[in-house]
Every structure is written in structure tokens, then in C-alpha cells.
Amino acid sequence: MLNPEHLKQRIALLDYLRQRHWTARPAACQQEFVGLCPLHRDTRPSFYVNPHKNLFYCHGCGQGGDLIRFVELSEHLSFHQSLAFLQRQIALAGEGGVLEQTAAFYRLQLHRHPEAIQYLALRGLRDPGVIDELGIGYAPGGNLRRHLTSQGYSFDLLLNTGLINGQGCDAFCRRVIFPCRQNGQTINLYGRSIGAAFPHRLLPRSKGGLFAWESVSQYSTVILVEGLFDLAVLWQAGFRNATCAIGTHLTHAQWTQLCDRPSRSVYIAFDQDENRAGQQAAHQLARRLDSAGVTARMLQLPLGHDPNSYFVAGATVADFTICLQQAQRL
Ligand SMILES: [Zn+2]
């Protein structure tokens, strides 16, 4: 266990805030950064950070202190819980490297296993450029542990990350893998089963922000989908403004990203489920976006379809464009 001083040396306050999507500009005195306060409902930037002293102060709510104080306030933890929380953040950062290695290893496996390429084709994904760009890989099972331990990673680390189970087998066995990246780092892996196992799997850690948000955020109009295969076929069809929350529930970070500019229009293209689960989730999200001042439209695809299956069933770029044009506001 690191002591409080070491913890603060390992994680700079400003880095910690930026990883949590705090945006700031240099303050007038140039020594500090100023932005909206993450601790209270702030309308004018009143939260100041001094990166040299590693301290913050908010002129709105009057809170101030160091990184540990910030964690106490923002996570509602005691001092000791905050230390443990930060310790865990450092451990997670160490796990980042192993996720990177795993994603690279699975990428190599993809073209060695015809069943994986066949599965991608079945899901309508054929463009090698898009497959490569998304970093899609395949976990054939049974060889990740050997590969990573030969790279110096401990069995315990692999187990803690959730990459292998207690028997040493790949947790993602027989799954197509999409790495979830943020700021150039792999922060999670999504695995889609190509067999009979439960279809979806993420590692037990944050799914992070919206998928590929670094490239999508530049668009004033974005298409939000449920699944990564939806995103992949839309990118392949040229809709590069598609992003994905991996499911219909948005994390706080994903929600903040989607609302990061008031002029944005969001086209919600969730699954058109027979039981209407996807439609209801789309409706709720549209209402929430509307009240946040973001224009939301809901796409109507044929019942039972999602963007992925719609393209697999033969829909063209023109068909999907019509769906976008006909998308309804609330
Ligand atoms: Zn404040």
C-alpha cells in the first residue's frame, strides 16, 4: 500500500480530472487551469486547479484541497476509502498494458482462424480496412495465458483483470474481440461469442466513454447505436459519425460526451425489439437529451432489426439514409 504522499506523486490531480473528462482552459494568471466544478452544479467556470501545487479550489462551493480530498468529495468516500480507491486506479493503469498486449495478440489470431472471418462475414463485415481500424481480433481460446506469461505478466494479474479464469483458460474463448480505446489506450475488451456461449462479455471494469469518440466527436450529427457490429457495418457503409455505448444504458462519461456541444443532433438507432425494449430505451434517452438541449431523433428500422441485421438483410446506404431522413423527434 502506497502512503498518501506517494499516491499523489503517482497520480497528478490535473491528469486525474482530465481522465474524468474535466475540460479546462488556462486561467488568467497562467499558473492555473479553470473549468466547471465537478462537485456542484456550476454554470460559470469556478473550479481552479494549480498543477504545480497539485491543489484545487472552487469559488462556487468553497471546496478545495488535494487529490485525496477531491476523491473523498466526488466519490463520497472516507479518507481511507479514498486511498484504497486511488490504489486501485494505479493497479488498473498497470492492467492497461496487459490489455494492449491482449488486443494485439487477438488481432494476430483473427486471420489464422477461418471461423472468425466467417463469423464477421455472417455479420456483414467484410472491409479489411474497417476490421483493421477497429482493431478487431479473435480469441480462439487456450493460448493467451502462455503468451502473456512469456511476456512477463503474472498469473495473478491475468486473473485479476478477468482475462483468464481460475483454470487458466481464456475468458473470451471463441469470441470476436473489439478493443475499447480511450485517449489511445485500451481500457476494456468487448467479446462477442461466435458459438453458443452468452453473446456479450466485457471485462469487469469501466466500459469507458463512447466508442471511437475521438474520431466521432468532430461531427455535429452523430448516430448512436447499441452494439459494436451495428457500428462496424455503419462505418463500412460510410457513416463514420456512428458511435456506440455498448448497450442502451449510458455511463456518466458517455452522457457527458454526447452532450458536450448544444448544437449536436443525435440519431438514436437502437434495436427495434419485438418486446419494444430498444424502442423504449431510445424514447427515454431522447427525452433526456431533449431536456439537456440536444436535438434527438429516433430511427425506425423494420421491426426485429438493428442497423447490423438491416444491412445483412440487404439494406443499402440509400435505405439507411431514408431511415435517417425519416427519423422522428419526440
Ligand atoms: Zn464547486
Side-chain angles (χ1 to χ4, degrees):
M1 186 87 183
L2 292 167
N3 71 36
E5 285 314 310
H6 282 131
L7 274 174
K8 287 192 279 181
Q9 280 167 19
R10 288 285 296 271
I11 310 177
L13 176 61
L14 191 59
D15 291 341
Y16 180 87
L17 290 163
R18 283 181 169 153
Q19 278 163 13
R20 278 151 187 81
H21 311 288
W22 185 65
T23 49
R25 58 177 167 78
C29 70
Q30 296 294 323
Q31 295 283 320
E32 300 186 326
F33 288 88
V34 60
L36 291 175
C37 177
L39 300 172
H40 82 278
R41 272 184 182 275
D42 204 2
T43 47
R44 263 184 304 181
S46 44
F47 188 87
Y48 287 76
V49 172
N50 184 321
H52 307 290
K53 296 181 181 159
N54 240 347
L55 294 172
F56 72 94
Y57 183 74
C58 173
H59 291 277
C61 61
Q63 299 286 5
D66 60 9
L67 172 66
I68 298 166
R69 182 70 189 139
F70 183 80
V71 172
E72 286 180 275
L73 293 167
S74 58
E75 304 291 330
H76 308 287
L77 298 174
S78 70
F79 180 77
H80 284 285
Q81 286 169 332
S82 298
L83 294 184
F85 176 88
L86 288 168
Q87 192 80 37
R88 174 93 187 116
Q89 298 301 309
I90 290 173
L92 285 175
E95 290 172 9
V98 78
L99 294 186
E100 211 71 61
Q101 291 288 334
T102 304
F105 179 68
Y106 285 156
R107 231 176 358 254
L108 279 177
Q109 303 298 319
L110 183 73
H111 295 283
R112 297 178 184 165
H113 294 272
E115 70 268 28
I117 297 294
Q118 275 163 19
Y119 181 80
L120 294 184
L122 194 72
R123 301 296 300 268
L125 193 53
R126 293 183 174 82
D127 185 336
V130 171
I131 292 170
D132 192 48
E133 195 179 350
L134 292 172
I136 296 174
Y138 179 62
N143 49 10
L144 180 71
R145 179 190 167 188
R146 193 165 9 119
H147 173 73
L148 289 177
T149 45
S150 76
Q151 305 258 319
Y153 293 103
S154 71
F155 184 85
D156 281 350
L157 176 69
L158 306 187
L159 197 60
N160 289 338
T161 321
L163 287 167
I164 60 168
N165 61 25
Q167 287 78 49
C169 303
D170 292 31
F172 283 109
C173 182
R174 283 177 58 76
R175 281 167 191 274
V176 164
I177 306 296
F178 289 76
C180 308
R181 298 198 193 104
Q182 208 166 289
N183 305 320
Q185 285 182 322
T186 302
I187 59 157
N188 205 329
L189 299 174
Y190 168 83
R192 178 65 168 82
S193 168
I194 71 165
F198 182 75
H200 314 287
R201 167 161 273 178
L202 277 164
L203 294 172
R205 58 200 352 257
S206 164
K207 61 182 174 181
L210 291 165
F211 200 85
W213 191 242
E214 277 101 7
S215 70
V216 175
S217 64
Q218 58 172 310
Y219 297 100
S220 57
T221 297
V222 304
I223 305 169
L224 179 69
V225 297
E226 264 188 67
L228 289 171
F229 276 100
D230 299 323
L231 177 136
V233 292
L234 284 177
W235 277 31
Q236 183 176 257
F239 299 97
R240 305 296 299 221
N241 57 337
T243 185
C244 173
I246 312 183
T248 58
H249 175 76
L250 271 65
T251 63
H252 178 70
Q254 292 173 333
W255 167 255
T256 309
Q257 289 171 328
L258 212 51
C259 299
D260 68 358
R261 54 163 123 165
S263 57
R264 199 185 297 288
S265 280
V266 179
Y267 287 79
I268 306 170
F270 287 172
D271 302 4
Q272 303 288 304
D273 298 315
E274 304 277 354
N275 67 6
R276 301 199 52 78
Q279 294 90 317
Q280 277 169 13
H283 210 266
Q284 274 175 15
L285 179 61
R287 202 176 308 137
R288 222 176 130 203
L289 284 167
D290 246 28
S291 55
V294 175
T295 309
R297 289 187 173 80
M298 293 166 290
L299 253 74
Q300 286 236 321
L301 301 172
L303 193 63
H305 277 291
D306 55 35
N308 180 224
S309 66
Y310 188 48
F311 277 97
V312 172
T316 62
V317 171
D319 294 326
F320 194 78
T321 304
I322 291 171
C323 291
L324 287 172
Q325 286 162 352
Q326 292 178 342
Q328 304 265 324
R329 296 196 62 175
L330 277 176

